[in-house]
Amino acid sequence: MAQKMALGFYSTDPSRHTLAEDSQGLICGALISALGFYLLNRVGLLTGGTAGVAFLLHYAFNISFGLLFFIVNLPFYWLSFKRLGFAFTAKTFIAIGLVSIMTELEQRYLLIGYLHPFWGALMGGLLLGFGLLALYRHRASLGGVGILAIYVQERFGIQAGLIQLAFDACVMAAAFLLLEPGIVLWSIVGAVVLNLFLAINHRSDRYIVVR
């Protein structure tokens, strides 16, 4: 059945999106998420998921975060394709690519003279929450750990939430080996802000949730 559009832009069916709607959703979600990553990076913080791994490698080896974020997610795309389908995988690939590029561009066009770690954690977490909500609404995501967690749950019966929590705990534990304890604690604050925001504002029965 043909998808009806209003004003040639948005779908009259609330359960479906036009190409234009998906495009603006992915771009806006990626832009907001990239800004959240930029604020965290500006004060040396990190977060959970594959982004947390990219941050750790970035701080340890001084390699571009955007490049690392793109590379770290590569192993999960096949699993995403098998479990969640081509459309979700393709849009997630695009979103991650956009974030990787935008985080590099922001360093050239956005300069912040001073940012307190608390404010970086708070605003970074909130911006990532807003960005992820936009991406979830358009059936996309920013990471592969959630996909792996779903696979482990289906294969071995271990709850996906516990897998995600254990992975994030490992990321934060590894951070204590590279970063000052205070920085890691502020990072945990940012991660809590992000997850509380998503828990309050996101319904998993309405949108796909994979971080």
Side-chain angles (χ1 to χ4, degrees), residues 97-168:
L98 287 173
V99 169
S100 299
I101 294 171
M102 290 173 180
T103 52
E104 297 305 306
L105 292 177
E106 283 174 335
Q107 298 180 32
R108 300 181 182 183
Y109 300 110
L110 179 61
L111 181 62
I112 298 177
Y114 174 75
L115 181 64
H116 191 278
F118 168 73
W119 200 248
L122 176 63
M123 296 307 299
L126 286 176
L127 286 168
L128 282 173
F130 275 107
L132 283 169
L133 277 181
L135 295 176
Y136 292 162
R137 183 65 181 89
H138 293 271
R139 304 299 192 269
S141 182
L142 277 184
V145 176
I147 300 169
L148 177 62
I150 292 173
Y151 171 78
V152 172
Q153 176 175 278
E154 294 178 352
R155 183 71 181 272
F156 302 104
I158 304 174
Q159 291 184 0
L162 293 179
I163 300 297
Q164 182 78 58
L165 180 62
F167 185 90
D168 289 350

Side-chain angles (χ1 to χ4, degrees), residues 26 45 53 59 64 99 124 152 156 159 161 199 206 210:
L26 293 179
L45 304 182
V53 176
Y59 295 139
S64 162
V99 169
V152 172
F156 302 104
Q159 291 184 0
R206 179 175 294 162
V210 180

Side-chain angles (χ1 to χ4, degrees), residues 36-96:
F37 284 138
Y38 173 80
L39 294 182
L40 293 177
N41 192 20
R42 184 66 183 81
V43 286
L45 304 182
L46 68 154
T47 187
T50 50
V53 176
F55 269 124
L56 285 177
L57 295 174
H58 167 65
Y59 295 139
F61 302 105
N62 196 30
I63 302 174
S64 162
F65 168 78
L67 176 61
L68 288 170
F69 183 57
F70 184 80
I71 292 175
V72 166
N73 279 289
L74 289 177
F76 298 98
Y77 288 121
W78 174 248
L79 188 59
S80 173
F81 173 73
K82 296 292 288 184
R83 296 292 169 178
L84 298 173
F86 174 78
F88 176 88
T89 304
K91 285 189 282 189
T92 295
F93 180 84
I94 292 171
I96 290 174

Side-chain angles (χ1 to χ4, degrees), residues 3-12 18-21:
Q3 187 173 351
K4 295 181 180 179
M5 294 188 294
L7 302 177
F9 177 72
Y10 63 90
S11 172
T12 57
T18 65
L19 177 61
E21 287 177 309

